[in-house]
Amino acid sequence: MATAAAPDDSTVRETTKASEEVLPPTLGSGSQPPNLFDGTTRLYISYICPYVQRVWIARNFKGLQDKIQLVAIDLQDKPAWFLEKVYPPGKIPVLEHNGNIIAESLDLLSYLDANFEGPKLFPGDQDPAKQAFADELIANSDSVITAFFKAGRAYAQGQGDDDISKILAPALDKVEESLGRFSDGPFLLGQSMSAVDMVYAPFVERFKDFFAAVKHYDITQARPKLKEWIEELNKIDAYAVTWGDRRLQLAALMNKFGVILVLFYLYSTVLSSNRSGLTHLNLYLQIQSPVA
């Protein structure tokens, strides 16, 4: 079984910062804006958005917690200042940096790697073969993610197991096959987590939880590389801390597909949390809002 490389001292420090960070409250229409365009670099996020999670993981992995401030936006009750002064389309994630606004999660991964210090997200010229495979996987990511959502809708529409499997299995098998491309580690590019893992994992894990809950189906069954990949990712604090309460993530995805069990999961999340039920409800509803 492949194993991940031992972390160096800088990675350990970055991981510690990720696990110790105090997350900001979610800002709604009644909130006051931060001092916009004052030289502070800000990443505007929602806590349950998989597209945001890609960039949040990257920010943590590169150890940029002290250099990129998180600003959480309530997408059901967006502040006017966000729409008027930050990003009129109202989508997230967006980055405020050097007086500019940069949007779209895939573009932001490249931007962070090119403009900030820390471990590289892409192999680049140091390993052309891995960079070529990274480009291929990222180019194909939409087709895999689309299959996940199509399978979720098929379940919600009452389609049978065979129909759902025909949609879901090829996407999962593609990830399993890709994880076997390099033998030097358990990640999509081998030894270390990279931007490619950050692109896929927020969606793979959400649908893993979704199908386990609604169908008692383990997507990692007969896919040992997929199982190991998920286990290794969750050993990395820079990744794990971006999940928050997974029951809330699951409740949001269930709601997206109109699954009535969402009420139970939302209720259990509210009861078991130290945060207010209203905050949870606002976060839960945000899965319906546009993201990039």
Side-chain angles (χ1 to χ4, degrees):
M1 180 179 292
T3 56
D8 59 24
D9 289 344
S10 63
T11 303
V12 170
R13 287 194 298 272
E14 290 146 9
T15 296
T16 300
K17 285 195 292 185
S19 61
E20 292 179 350
E21 183 176 18
V22 177
L23 299 178
T26 300
L27 302 180
S29 60
S31 66
Q32 293 297 312
N35 294 322
L36 300 172
F37 304 106
D38 63 349
T40 302
T41 302
R42 299 180 176 92
L43 178 63
Y44 294 87
I45 68 166
S46 163
Y47 288 121
I48 58 172
C49 170
Y51 296 92
V52 162
Q53 193 176 2
R54 290 170 165 177
V55 186
W56 187 1
I57 296 165
R59 172 240 194 204
N60 291 352
F61 183 71
K62 291 181 76 69
L64 300 173
Q65 291 87 335
D66 295 335
K67 296 188 176 182
I68 300 180
Q69 180 185 105
L70 297 179
V71 180
I73 298 297
D74 183 344
L75 297 181
Q76 292 298 311
D77 186 30
K78 297 171 189 172
W81 54 261
F82 178 71
L83 296 171
E84 294 169 2
K85 299 180 180 180
V86 179
Y87 196 57
K91 296 182 179 182
I92 52 167
V94 292
L95 184 73
E96 174 191 338
H97 181 233
N98 288 343
N100 298 311
I101 293 294
I102 304 94
E104 304 294 338
S105 61
L106 297 181
D107 292 341
L108 281 166
L109 293 177
S110 297
Y111 187 87
L112 289 182
D113 217 26
N115 291 276
F116 293 89
E117 62 187 17
K120 299 300 289 182
L121 304 178
F122 296 92
D125 294 339
Q126 293 184 353
D127 195 324
K130 287 188 176 182
Q131 183 59 53
F133 192 53
D135 293 340
E136 177 185 335
L137 287 178
I138 290 174
N140 291 331
S141 61
D142 278 351
S143 64
V144 172
I145 293 165
T146 297
F148 292 160
F149 280 99
K150 187 176 180 181
R153 288 192 294 272
Y155 170 81
Q157 293 165 1
Q159 295 185 31
D161 290 354
D162 289 345
D163 291 333
I164 295 171
S165 181
K166 286 178 183 177
I167 300 168
L168 188 61
L172 294 170
D173 291 343
K174 175 64 176 176
V175 178
E176 176 76 8
E177 178 186 353
S178 297
L179 285 164
R181 179 68 171 266
F182 299 105
S183 61
D184 58 333
F187 302 103
L188 281 163
L189 298 186
Q191 188 176 53
S192 300
M193 182 170 71
S194 72
V196 186
D197 302 289
M198 299 168 197
V199 167
Y200 279 82
F203 295 92
V204 173
E205 282 230 65
R206 275 172 175 77
F207 281 93
K208 174 181 179 293
D209 292 345
F210 176 80
F211 284 107
V214 302
K215 291 183 62 63
H216 306 289
Y217 171 55
D218 179 4
I219 67 170
T220 68
Q221 186 175 359
R223 298 183 180 95
K225 293 182 177 65
L226 183 64
K227 180 179 176 65
E228 183 187 9
W229 178 61
I230 292 171
E231 290 172 350
E232 293 298 326
L233 284 169
N234 281 283
K235 293 176 183 177
I236 302 171
D237 275 1
Y239 174 84
V241 298
T242 63
W243 278 98
D245 190 329
R246 285 177 182 256
R247 291 167 300 179
L248 182 61
Q249 306 284 355
L250 175 58
L253 193 55
M254 284 180 158
N255 178 66
K256 187 172 184 67
F257 295 120
V259 179
I260 198 166
L261 286 175
V262 68
L263 298 175
F264 166 77
Y265 282 94
L266 178 61
Y267 183 65
S268 68
T269 300
V270 171
L271 284 181
S272 65
S273 174
N274 292 325
R275 299 164 70 181
S276 72
L278 180 60
T279 298
H280 272 82
L281 183 59
N282 285 340
L283 288 172
Y284 154 78
L285 290 171
Q286 288 181 28
I287 199 70
Q288 303 286 357
S289 297
V291 290

